[in-house]
Amino acid sequence: MAGRGAVLRGVLTSALRPSLRDLERYRSHLVDDGAGAAPGGLHATFLGTSTVLLDDGTDQLLFDAFVSPVGVGAIVRRRVRTSPEHVDRVLAQAGATRVRAVFVSHSHHDHALDAPYIAARTGAVVHGSASTAQIGRGGGLPESQLRLLVPGAATPVGAFSVTALASRHSPGTLGGDGAEITAPLVQPAALGDFREGGSFDFLVEHPAATVLVKGSAGFVPGALDGVRADVLLLATAGSVADDARYRDAFLDATVSTVRPRVVVPLHWNSLFRAATPSSRPMGTIRDTWDALVERLGAWGGELAVLRPGASLRYPRER
């Protein structure tokens, strides 16, 4: 395991840089279509970081599971844990009453912390890596609510079909790429206990639309060749914001390859504050989001920025 100091330095580097710029530059791209899935369509609600609730009016899927506020104090004291009251409030506000499955892209705390509590509360099945399963076990979930993801295998949930695609964490993985959680992880825990455990993208196929979910800003070269999606939910933090060469390669391998009609940025709000409609960006977003607008313009695509709590309906009404 990475030392405590190394873990903290990584977190401070990646998350303690709230931008002085707010979202005013992208006001024309802000979207909130309100509550409820349109008949025959899909409804995506952004809950902050990379957590998204996808709803077709019958079933709901949750991608990643991190809504609890985790401040610097909890990280320093090695007492990172779910806040049940906060999670209950966020789920109620989002209308998350029919969650059938939780798909976890990797096992860092900002993607998986609240998966056990949400699954226990809703009866949903948690789908993830062997490390994600250890987070579930530590949270008291029975084996019947844990499923290991197999890259390339499709999971049916109602009218949805979700295929896990092997991916990669963004550069600078806390704890190291592929590091595993090997025993049930009981909360409260240290930040470094939430090892990555391997990363996945999710291709979601539904009669209304195809959605690609990328919860982390990493990629496997060529992995998305031949993949097409109407909507791309795309992490835009870390090296995508900081390294122009990496950003170009990442956007080539994702946006320009998949050519979505709509891109919704994920993982842009500060990790150390509860996600709210007034959340400010983590670090700079300008270069990445400007590059997204430019690329989407080549085929008439749309950048749809959702504040935490906001929703997008698909098909889009123009």
Side-chain angles (χ1 to χ4, degrees), residues 171-252:
T173 307
L174 290 177
D177 286 332
E180 296 183 341
I181 303 169
T182 58
L185 198 162
V186 179
Q187 301 180 22
L191 189 77
D193 292 339
F194 291 87
R195 297 183 174 190
E196 181 240 0
S199 293
F200 300 97
D201 300 334
F202 298 107
L203 183 64
V204 185
E205 295 172 290
H206 187 277
T210 300
V211 180
L212 179 64
V213 184
K214 284 193 66 67
S216 184
F219 67 99
V220 174
L224 299 179
D225 290 353
V227 173
R228 295 291 180 268
D230 300 298
V231 181
L232 172 57
L233 307 178
L234 184 71
T236 58
S239 296
V240 180
D242 299 334
D243 182 333
R245 182 176 298 178
Y246 181 82
R247 178 171 59 248
D248 286 344
F250 175 72
L251 296 180
D252 284 345

Side-chain angles (χ1 to χ4, degrees), residues 12 38 61 102 111 119 141 213 215 236 314:
L12 292 172
L61 309 181
V102 179
H111 297 258
L141 288 182
V213 184
T236 58
Y314 195 90

Side-chain angles (χ1 to χ4, degrees), residues 46-51 66 110-111 265-271 275 308:
F46 178 51
L47 303 184
T49 312
S50 59
T51 302
F66 174 64
D110 56 333
H111 297 258
L266 303 179
H267 219 321
W268 58 264
N269 57 290
S270 174
L271 297 181

Side-chain angles (χ1 to χ4, degrees), residues 29-33 302-307 310-312 316:
H29 298 281
L30 291 173
V31 170
D32 188 0
D33 293 334
E302 175 188 6
L303 177 68
V305 178
L306 306 183
R307 296 179 186 268
S311 299
L312 172 141
R316 303 290 294 137

